[in-house]
Amino acid sequence: MAKHPVPKKKVSKSRRDIRRAAVSTLTAPTLTKCANCGAMIPPHIVCDSCGYYAGKKILEVKA
């Protein structure tokens, strides 16, 4: 019969909560500057304000 690993001591509520909180920290979204108009946009996304992506006109933007 195989023995299963068993904790030697009880993990306190504080230590447990610290461990759980470490993976759920919020981060601000990554933004880059559009090469054409300078607006802040997410990377690898067509710019909403000018319609350019990677130096090429992709969308017609209404003013």
Side-chain angles (χ1 to χ4, degrees):
M1 183 171 214
K3 292 186 176 181
H4 298 287
V6 178
K8 265 194 176 183
K9 297 202 189 261
K10 178 179 178 178
V11 176
S12 69
K13 293 173 189 167
S14 173
R15 188 170 290 276
R16 176 201 65 196
D17 294 344
I18 289 169
R19 182 181 65 242
R20 289 179 182 173
V23 295
S24 65
T25 55
L26 296 174
T27 57
T30 305
L31 296 175
T32 57
K33 194 177 273 193
C34 175
N36 187 53
C37 69
M40 297 304 284
I41 57 169
H44 310 289
I45 301 291
V46 177
C47 181
D48 289 334
S49 59
C50 67
Y52 274 73
Y53 178 76
K56 297 176 186 170
K57 184 82 169 170
I58 305 295
L59 295 174
E60 281 295 323
V61 179
K62 296 177 183 174

Short mmCIF file of all heavy atoms in Angstrom, two decimals:
data_model
loop_
_atom_site.label_atom_id
_atom_site.label_comp_id
_atom_site.label_asym_id
_atom_site.label_seq_id
_atom_site.Cartn_x
_atom_site.Cartn_y
_atom_site.Cartn_z
N MET A 1 0.84 -1.18 0.00
CA MET A 1 0.00 0.00 0.00
C MET A 1 0.89 1.25 0.00
O MET A 1 1.78 1.38 0.82
CB MET A 1 -0.91 -0.03 1.22
CG MET A 1 -1.86 1.10 1.28
SD MET A 1 -3.02 0.79 2.61
CE MET A 1 -4.43 1.52 1.92
N ALA A 2 0.64 2.17 -0.94
CA ALA A 2 1.46 3.37 -1.06
C ALA A 2 1.04 4.41 -0.04
O ALA A 2 -0.14 4.58 0.26
CB ALA A 2 1.33 3.95 -2.46
N LYS A 3 2.03 5.09 0.51
CA LYS A 3 1.75 6.16 1.46
C LYS A 3 1.69 7.49 0.72
O LYS A 3 2.49 7.76 -0.16
CB LYS A 3 2.82 6.21 2.54
CG LYS A 3 2.80 5.02 3.45
CD LYS A 3 3.77 5.20 4.57
CE LYS A 3 3.68 4.02 5.53
NZ LYS A 3 4.58 4.17 6.65
N HIS A 4 0.75 8.32 1.10
CA HIS A 4 0.59 9.62 0.47
C HIS A 4 1.28 10.67 1.31
O HIS A 4 1.28 10.59 2.54
CB HIS A 4 -0.90 9.96 0.32
CG HIS A 4 -1.63 8.99 -0.56
ND1 HIS A 4 -1.46 8.98 -1.92
CD2 HIS A 4 -2.49 7.99 -0.29
CE1 HIS A 4 -2.21 8.03 -2.44
NE2 HIS A 4 -2.84 7.40 -1.47
N PRO A 5 1.84 11.71 0.66
CA PRO A 5 2.48 12.78 1.44
C PRO A 5 1.45 13.56 2.26
O PRO A 5 0.35 13.87 1.77
CB PRO A 5 3.13 13.67 0.39
CG PRO A 5 2.45 13.32 -0.88
CD PRO A 5 1.96 11.92 -0.76
N VAL A 6 1.78 13.82 3.49
CA VAL A 6 0.89 14.52 4.40
C VAL A 6 1.63 15.71 4.99
O VAL A 6 2.79 15.57 5.40
CB VAL A 6 0.41 13.58 5.53
CG1 VAL A 6 -0.48 14.31 6.51
CG2 VAL A 6 -0.30 12.37 4.95
N PRO A 7 1.02 16.90 5.03
CA PRO A 7 1.70 18.06 5.62
C PRO A 7 2.02 17.81 7.09
O PRO A 7 1.24 17.22 7.83
CB PRO A 7 0.69 19.19 5.49
CG PRO A 7 -0.33 18.73 4.52
CD PRO A 7 -0.31 17.25 4.54
N LYS A 8 3.22 18.27 7.53
CA LYS A 8 3.61 18.11 8.92
C LYS A 8 2.88 19.08 9.83
O LYS A 8 2.57 18.75 10.97
CB LYS A 8 5.11 18.33 9.08
CG LYS A 8 5.89 17.07 9.04
CD LYS A 8 7.30 17.24 9.51
CE LYS A 8 7.95 15.87 9.50
NZ LYS A 8 9.27 15.85 9.99
N LYS A 9 2.65 20.30 9.35
CA LYS A 9 1.99 21.31 10.17
C LYS A 9 0.89 21.98 9.37
O LYS A 9 0.97 22.07 8.15
CB LYS A 9 3.00 22.36 10.65
CG LYS A 9 4.09 21.79 11.53
CD LYS A 9 4.72 22.84 12.37
CE LYS A 9 5.92 22.30 13.07
NZ LYS A 9 5.81 21.89 14.38
N LYS A 10 -0.10 22.48 10.08
CA LYS A 10 -1.21 23.19 9.45
C LYS A 10 -0.70 24.51 8.87
O LYS A 10 0.06 25.23 9.51
CB LYS A 10 -2.29 23.46 10.49
CG LYS A 10 -3.48 24.24 9.97
CD LYS A 10 -4.50 24.46 11.05
CE LYS A 10 -5.67 25.27 10.54
NZ LYS A 10 -6.69 25.45 11.58
N VAL A 11 -1.14 24.81 7.66
CA VAL A 11 -0.79 26.09 7.03
C VAL A 11 -1.75 27.14 7.57
O VAL A 11 -2.98 26.97 7.52
CB VAL A 11 -0.90 25.99 5.49
CG1 VAL A 11 -0.63 27.33 4.84
CG2 VAL A 11 0.06 24.95 4.97
N SER A 12 -1.20 28.23 8.09
CA SER A 12 -2.04 29.27 8.69
C SER A 12 -2.88 29.96 7.62
O SER A 12 -2.55 29.95 6.43
CB SER A 12 -1.19 30.30 9.41
OG SER A 12 -0.45 31.06 8.47
N LYS A 13 -3.97 30.57 8.06
CA LYS A 13 -4.86 31.29 7.13
C LYS A 13 -4.12 32.41 6.44
O LYS A 13 -4.34 32.69 5.26
CB LYS A 13 -6.07 31.82 7.89
CG LYS A 13 -6.97 30.74 8.41
CD LYS A 13 -8.06 31.31 9.29
CE LYS A 13 -8.82 30.20 9.98
NZ LYS A 13 -9.66 30.69 11.06
N SER A 14 -3.24 33.08 7.17
CA SER A 14 -2.48 34.19 6.60
C SER A 14 -1.55 33.70 5.48
O SER A 14 -1.53 34.28 4.38
CB SER A 14 -1.65 34.86 7.70
OG SER A 14 -0.80 35.83 7.14
N ARG A 15 -0.81 32.63 5.73
CA ARG A 15 0.11 32.10 4.71
C ARG A 15 -0.66 31.57 3.50
O ARG A 15 -0.25 31.78 2.35
CB ARG A 15 0.96 31.00 5.33
CG ARG A 15 2.07 30.52 4.43
CD ARG A 15 3.03 29.62 5.15
NE ARG A 15 3.84 30.31 6.11
CZ ARG A 15 4.97 30.97 5.84
NH1 ARG A 15 5.41 31.01 4.59
NH2 ARG A 15 5.66 31.57 6.77
N ARG A 16 -1.78 30.91 3.74
CA ARG A 16 -2.62 30.41 2.66
C ARG A 16 -3.14 31.56 1.80
O ARG A 16 -3.09 31.50 0.57
CB ARG A 16 -3.80 29.64 3.27
CG ARG A 16 -4.82 29.15 2.25
CD ARG A 16 -6.16 28.88 2.91
NE ARG A 16 -6.75 30.11 3.42
CZ ARG A 16 -7.75 30.16 4.31
NH1 ARG A 16 -8.23 29.05 4.82
NH2 ARG A 16 -8.24 31.31 4.70
N ASP A 17 -3.62 32.63 2.44
CA ASP A 17 -4.17 33.76 1.70
C ASP A 17 -3.10 34.51 0.93
O ASP A 17 -3.36 35.01 -0.17
CB ASP A 17 -4.92 34.69 2.65
CG ASP A 17 -6.16 34.04 3.24
OD1 ASP A 17 -6.61 33.00 2.68
OD2 ASP A 17 -6.68 34.53 4.25
N ILE A 18 -1.91 34.62 1.49
CA ILE A 18 -0.80 35.27 0.78
C ILE A 18 -0.47 34.49 -0.48
O ILE A 18 -0.24 35.07 -1.55
CB ILE A 18 0.43 35.40 1.70
CG1 ILE A 18 0.17 36.44 2.78
CG2 ILE A 18 1.68 35.72 0.91
CD1 ILE A 18 1.20 36.46 3.90
N ARG A 19 -0.44 33.16 -0.38
CA ARG A 19 -0.14 32.32 -1.55
C ARG A 19 -1.22 32.47 -2.62
O ARG A 19 -0.92 32.59 -3.80
CB ARG A 19 -0.04 30.86 -1.12
CG ARG A 19 0.32 29.92 -2.27
CD ARG A 19 0.39 28.47 -1.85
NE ARG A 19 -0.91 27.98 -1.42
CZ ARG A 19 -1.20 27.53 -0.20
NH1 ARG A 19 -0.28 27.54 0.74
NH2 ARG A 19 -2.41 27.09 0.08
N ARG A 20 -2.47 32.51 -2.21
CA ARG A 20 -3.56 32.65 -3.17
C ARG A 20 -3.59 34.03 -3.81
O ARG A 20 -3.96 34.17 -4.98
CB ARG A 20 -4.90 32.38 -2.48
CG ARG A 20 -5.08 30.93 -2.13
CD ARG A 20 -6.40 30.71 -1.43
NE ARG A 20 -6.56 29.31 -1.04
CZ ARG A 20 -7.55 28.86 -0.30
NH1 ARG A 20 -8.47 29.69 0.16
NH2 ARG A 20 -7.62 27.59 0.01
N ALA A 21 -3.22 35.05 -3.06
CA ALA A 21 -3.25 36.42 -3.58
C ALA A 21 -2.12 36.68 -4.58
O ALA A 21 -2.23 37.57 -5.42
CB ALA A 21 -3.17 37.42 -2.43
N ALA A 22 -1.04 35.90 -4.51
CA ALA A 22 0.12 36.14 -5.36
C ALA A 22 -0.21 35.94 -6.84
O ALA A 22 0.35 36.62 -7.70
CB ALA A 22 1.26 35.23 -4.96
N VAL A 23 -1.12 35.02 -7.16
CA VAL A 23 -1.43 34.74 -8.56
C VAL A 23 -2.55 35.61 -9.10
O VAL A 23 -2.77 35.67 -10.30
CB VAL A 23 -1.80 33.25 -8.79
CG1 VAL A 23 -0.62 32.37 -8.50
CG2 VAL A 23 -2.99 32.87 -7.95
N SER A 24 -3.28 36.29 -8.22
CA SER A 24 -4.44 37.06 -8.67
C SER A 24 -4.20 38.56 -8.67
O SER A 24 -5.14 39.33 -8.61
CB SER A 24 -5.64 36.74 -7.78
OG SER A 24 -5.38 37.19 -6.46
N THR A 25 -2.94 38.98 -8.75
CA THR A 25 -2.67 40.41 -8.77
C THR A 25 -3.06 40.99 -10.13
O THR A 25 -2.84 40.38 -11.18
CB THR A 25 -1.18 40.71 -8.51
OG1 THR A 25 -0.39 39.98 -9.46
CG2 THR A 25 -0.79 40.30 -7.11
N LEU A 26 -3.65 42.16 -10.14
CA LEU A 26 -4.08 42.81 -11.36
C LEU A 26 -2.94 43.63 -11.96
O LEU A 26 -2.16 44.24 -11.23
CB LEU A 26 -5.27 43.73 -11.08
CG LEU A 26 -6.54 43.06 -10.61
CD1 LEU A 26 -7.56 44.13 -10.24
CD2 LEU A 26 -7.10 42.16 -11.67
N THR A 27 -2.84 43.63 -13.26
CA THR A 27 -1.82 44.42 -13.95
C THR A 27 -2.51 45.33 -14.97
O THR A 27 -3.57 44.98 -15.52
CB THR A 27 -0.81 43.52 -14.69
OG1 THR A 27 -1.52 42.68 -15.60
CG2 THR A 27 -0.03 42.64 -13.70
N ALA A 28 -1.89 46.45 -15.22
CA ALA A 28 -2.44 47.39 -16.21
C ALA A 28 -2.25 46.79 -17.61
O ALA A 28 -1.28 46.07 -17.86
CB ALA A 28 -1.71 48.72 -16.11
N PRO A 29 -3.18 47.05 -18.54
CA PRO A 29 -3.02 46.51 -19.89
C PRO A 29 -1.81 47.11 -20.59
O PRO A 29 -1.48 48.28 -20.40
CB PRO A 29 -4.32 46.90 -20.59
CG PRO A 29 -4.86 48.04 -19.81
CD PRO A 29 -4.40 47.84 -18.39
N THR A 30 -1.15 46.30 -21.40
CA THR A 30 0.02 46.75 -22.14
C THR A 30 -0.44 47.63 -23.31
O THR A 30 -1.33 47.23 -24.07
CB THR A 30 0.80 45.55 -22.69
OG1 THR A 30 1.12 44.69 -21.61
CG2 THR A 30 2.08 45.99 -23.38
N LEU A 31 0.14 48.80 -23.43
CA LEU A 31 -0.20 49.71 -24.52
C LEU A 31 1.07 50.14 -25.23
O LEU A 31 2.12 50.31 -24.60
CB LEU A 31 -0.94 50.94 -23.99
CG LEU A 31 -2.30 50.70 -23.34
CD1 LEU A 31 -2.83 51.99 -22.76
CD2 LEU A 31 -3.28 50.11 -24.32
N THR A 32 0.98 50.31 -26.54
CA THR A 32 2.09 50.82 -27.33
C THR A 32 1.61 52.04 -28.12
O THR A 32 0.41 52.23 -28.31
CB THR A 32 2.61 49.76 -28.32
OG1 THR A 32 1.54 49.34 -29.15
CG2 THR A 32 3.18 48.56 -27.59
N LYS A 33 2.56 52.83 -28.58
CA LYS A 33 2.23 54.03 -29.33
C LYS A 33 2.08 53.69 -30.81
O LYS A 33 2.92 52.98 -31.38
CB LYS A 33 3.34 55.06 -29.15
CG LYS A 33 2.96 56.45 -29.60
CD LYS A 33 4.06 57.45 -29.33
CE LYS A 33 3.88 57.97 -27.93
NZ LYS A 33 4.70 59.15 -27.64
N CYS A 34 1.01 54.15 -31.40
CA CYS A 34 0.78 53.94 -32.84
C CYS A 34 1.88 54.66 -33.61
O CYS A 34 2.17 55.83 -33.36
CB CYS A 34 -0.60 54.48 -33.23
SG CYS A 34 -0.92 54.40 -35.01
N ALA A 35 2.48 53.96 -34.56
CA ALA A 35 3.57 54.54 -35.34
C ALA A 35 3.09 55.64 -36.26
O ALA A 35 3.86 56.54 -36.63
CB ALA A 35 4.26 53.45 -36.16
N ASN A 36 1.81 55.63 -36.64
CA ASN A 36 1.29 56.61 -37.58
C ASN A 36 0.78 57.88 -36.88
O ASN A 36 1.19 58.98 -37.21
CB ASN A 36 0.17 55.98 -38.41
CG ASN A 36 -0.30 56.89 -39.51
OD1 ASN A 36 0.50 57.36 -40.30
ND2 ASN A 36 -1.59 57.14 -39.56
N CYS A 37 -0.10 57.72 -35.87
CA CYS A 37 -0.73 58.90 -35.26
C CYS A 37 -0.29 59.14 -33.82
O CYS A 37 -0.56 60.20 -33.27
CB CYS A 37 -2.25 58.77 -35.31
SG CYS A 37 -2.92 57.48 -34.24
N GLY A 38 0.36 58.17 -33.18
CA GLY A 38 0.85 58.37 -31.82
C GLY A 38 -0.15 58.03 -30.73
O GLY A 38 0.14 58.21 -29.55
N ALA A 39 -1.32 57.51 -31.08
CA ALA A 39 -2.31 57.13 -30.08
C ALA A 39 -1.85 55.86 -29.36
O ALA A 39 -1.14 55.04 -29.92
CB ALA A 39 -3.67 56.88 -30.74
N MET A 40 -2.27 55.72 -28.10
CA MET A 40 -1.91 54.53 -27.33
C MET A 40 -2.91 53.41 -27.66
O MET A 40 -4.12 53.58 -27.50
CB MET A 40 -1.92 54.84 -25.84
CG MET A 40 -0.88 55.87 -25.43
SD MET A 40 0.80 55.44 -25.90
CE MET A 40 1.17 54.21 -24.69
N ILE A 41 -2.39 52.27 -28.14
CA ILE A 41 -3.23 51.13 -28.53
C ILE A 41 -2.61 49.84 -28.00
O ILE A 41 -1.40 49.79 -27.74
CB ILE A 41 -3.36 51.05 -30.07
CG1 ILE A 41 -1.99 50.96 -30.74
CG2 ILE A 41 -4.15 52.21 -30.61
CD1 ILE A 41 -2.01 50.62 -32.20
N PRO A 42 -3.39 48.77 -27.86
CA PRO A 42 -2.81 47.47 -27.51
C PRO A 42 -1.92 46.97 -28.65
O PRO A 42 -2.18 47.27 -29.82
CB PRO A 42 -4.03 46.55 -27.34
CG PRO A 42 -5.20 47.46 -27.18
CD PRO A 42 -4.86 48.73 -27.88
N PRO A 43 -0.88 46.22 -28.34
CA PRO A 43 -0.01 45.72 -29.40
C PRO A 43 -0.74 44.73 -30.32
O PRO A 43 -1.64 44.02 -29.87
CB PRO A 43 1.14 45.03 -28.65
CG PRO A 43 0.62 44.77 -27.30
CD PRO A 43 -0.40 45.82 -27.02
N HIS A 44 -0.37 44.70 -31.59
CA HIS A 44 -0.91 43.78 -32.61
C HIS A 44 -2.39 44.02 -32.88
O HIS A 44 -3.13 43.10 -33.21
CB HIS A 44 -0.68 42.32 -32.21
CG HIS A 44 0.71 42.01 -31.82
ND1 HIS A 44 1.74 41.96 -32.71
CD2 HIS A 44 1.26 41.77 -30.60
CE1 HIS A 44 2.87 41.68 -32.08
NE2 HIS A 44 2.60 41.57 -30.80
N ILE A 45 -2.83 45.27 -32.75
CA ILE A 45 -4.22 45.64 -32.99
C ILE A 45 -4.24 46.83 -33.95
O ILE A 45 -3.40 47.71 -33.87
CB ILE A 45 -4.92 46.04 -31.66
CG1 ILE A 45 -4.89 44.90 -30.66
CG2 ILE A 45 -6.35 46.50 -31.90
CD1 ILE A 45 -5.74 43.71 -31.01
N VAL A 46 -5.22 46.86 -34.86
CA VAL A 46 -5.38 47.99 -35.77
C VAL A 46 -5.75 49.22 -34.94
O VAL A 46 -6.59 49.16 -34.05
CB VAL A 46 -6.47 47.69 -36.82
CG1 VAL A 46 -6.69 48.90 -37.72
CG2 VAL A 46 -6.09 46.49 -37.66
N CYS A 47 -5.13 50.35 -35.23
CA CYS A 47 -5.39 51.59 -34.50
C CYS A 47 -6.81 52.08 -34.79
O CYS A 47 -7.23 52.17 -35.94
CB CYS A 47 -4.38 52.65 -34.91
SG CYS A 47 -4.59 54.22 -34.04
N ASP A 48 -7.56 52.38 -33.72
CA ASP A 48 -8.94 52.84 -33.87
C ASP A 48 -9.01 54.28 -34.40
O ASP A 48 -9.97 54.65 -35.07
CB ASP A 48 -9.68 52.78 -32.53
CG ASP A 48 -9.96 51.36 -32.11
OD1 ASP A 48 -10.05 50.48 -33.00
OD2 ASP A 48 -10.09 51.13 -30.90
N SER A 49 -7.99 55.08 -34.09
CA SER A 49 -8.08 56.50 -34.46
C SER A 49 -7.63 56.79 -35.89
O SER A 49 -8.11 57.73 -36.50
CB SER A 49 -7.26 57.34 -33.47
OG SER A 49 -5.92 56.94 -33.47
N CYS A 50 -6.71 55.97 -36.45
CA CYS A 50 -6.26 56.26 -37.82
C CYS A 50 -6.45 55.08 -38.79
O CYS A 50 -6.40 55.26 -39.99
CB CYS A 50 -4.80 56.69 -37.81
SG CYS A 50 -3.63 55.40 -37.33
N GLY A 51 -6.64 53.86 -38.26
CA GLY A 51 -6.89 52.71 -39.13
C GLY A 51 -5.65 52.05 -39.69
O GLY A 51 -5.75 51.23 -40.60
N TYR A 52 -4.48 52.36 -39.16
CA TYR A 52 -3.23 51.78 -39.66
C TYR A 52 -2.79 50.61 -38.80
O TYR A 52 -3.06 50.56 -37.59
CB TYR A 52 -2.12 52.83 -39.65
CG TYR A 52 -2.08 53.69 -40.89
CD1 TYR A 52 -3.04 54.67 -41.10
CD2 TYR A 52 -1.11 53.53 -41.86
CE1 TYR A 52 -3.03 55.46 -42.23
CE2 TYR A 52 -1.08 54.31 -43.00
CZ TYR A 52 -2.04 55.29 -43.18
OH TYR A 52 -2.01 56.06 -44.30
N TYR A 53 -2.12 49.63 -39.44
CA TYR A 53 -1.49 48.51 -38.73
C TYR A 53 -0.20 48.17 -39.47
O TYR A 53 -0.22 47.94 -40.69
CB TYR A 53 -2.41 47.29 -38.69
CG TYR A 53 -1.77 46.10 -38.02
CD1 TYR A 53 -1.66 46.05 -36.64
CD2 TYR A 53 -1.26 45.04 -38.76
CE1 TYR A 53 -1.07 44.97 -36.01
CE2 TYR A 53 -0.67 43.96 -38.13
CZ TYR A 53 -0.57 43.93 -36.76
OH TYR A 53 0.03 42.88 -36.14
N ALA A 54 0.92 48.18 -38.74
CA ALA A 54 2.24 47.86 -39.30
C ALA A 54 2.56 48.75 -40.50
O ALA A 54 3.12 48.29 -41.50
CB ALA A 54 2.33 46.39 -39.67
N GLY A 55 2.18 50.03 -40.43
CA GLY A 55 2.51 50.98 -41.48
C GLY A 55 1.62 50.92 -42.70
O GLY A 55 1.89 51.59 -43.70
N LYS A 56 0.57 50.12 -42.67
CA LYS A 56 -0.33 50.00 -43.82
C LYS A 56 -1.74 50.41 -43.42
O LYS A 56 -2.20 50.13 -42.33
CB LYS A 56 -0.36 48.55 -44.32
CG LYS A 56 0.97 48.06 -44.82
CD LYS A 56 0.89 46.60 -45.20
CE LYS A 56 2.27 46.08 -45.57
NZ LYS A 56 2.28 44.63 -45.72
N LYS A 57 -2.45 51.06 -44.35
CA LYS A 57 -3.83 51.46 -44.13
C LYS A 57 -4.72 50.22 -44.23
O LYS A 57 -4.78 49.57 -45.25
CB LYS A 57 -4.23 52.49 -45.19
CG LYS A 57 -5.60 53.07 -45.03
CD LYS A 57 -5.60 54.20 -44.03
CE LYS A 57 -6.94 54.92 -44.10
NZ LYS A 57 -7.09 55.85 -43.02
N ILE A 58 -5.41 49.90 -43.13
CA ILE A 58 -6.25 48.71 -43.07
C ILE A 58 -7.73 49.09 -43.06
O ILE A 58 -8.53 48.48 -43.76
CB ILE A 58 -5.93 47.87 -41.81
CG1 ILE A 58 -4.44 47.52 -41.75
CG2 ILE A 58 -6.79 46.63 -41.73
CD1 ILE A 58 -3.95 46.62 -42.85
N LEU A 59 -8.09 50.10 -42.28
CA LEU A 59 -9.49 50.50 -42.13
C LEU A 59 -9.69 51.94 -42.56
O LEU A 59 -8.79 52.77 -42.42
CB LEU A 59 -9.92 50.39 -40.65
CG LEU A 59 -9.96 49.02 -40.03
CD1 LEU A 59 -10.27 49.14 -38.55
CD2 LEU A 59 -10.99 48.16 -40.70
N GLU A 60 -10.87 52.22 -43.06
CA GLU A 60 -11.28 53.60 -43.30
C GLU A 60 -11.94 54.11 -42.03
O GLU A 60 -12.95 53.55 -41.57
CB GLU A 60 -12.26 53.68 -44.48
CG GLU A 60 -11.62 53.62 -45.84
CD GLU A 60 -10.72 54.83 -46.12
OE1 GLU A 60 -11.05 55.95 -45.70
OE2 GLU A 60 -9.67 54.62 -46.75
N VAL A 61 -11.38 55.15 -41.44
CA VAL A 61 -11.91 55.69 -40.18
C VAL A 61 -12.71 56.93 -40.49
O VAL A 61 -12.27 57.84 -41.19
CB VAL A 61 -10.75 56.03 -39.20
CG1 VAL A 61 -11.29 56.59 -37.92
CG2 VAL A 61 -9.93 54.78 -38.94
N LYS A 62 -13.95 56.96 -39.95
CA LYS A 62 -14.80 58.13 -40.15
C LYS A 62 -14.42 59.19 -39.12
O LYS A 62 -14.24 58.89 -37.95
CB LYS A 62 -16.26 57.75 -39.98
CG LYS A 62 -16.75 56.77 -41.02
CD LYS A 62 -18.17 56.36 -40.79
CE LYS A 62 -18.57 55.31 -41.81
NZ LYS A 62 -19.92 54.79 -41.53
N ALA A 63 -14.35 60.43 -39.55
CA ALA A 63 -13.94 61.52 -38.68
C ALA A 63 -14.99 61.97 -37.71
O ALA A 63 -16.11 61.74 -37.70
CB ALA A 63 -13.51 62.73 -39.50
#
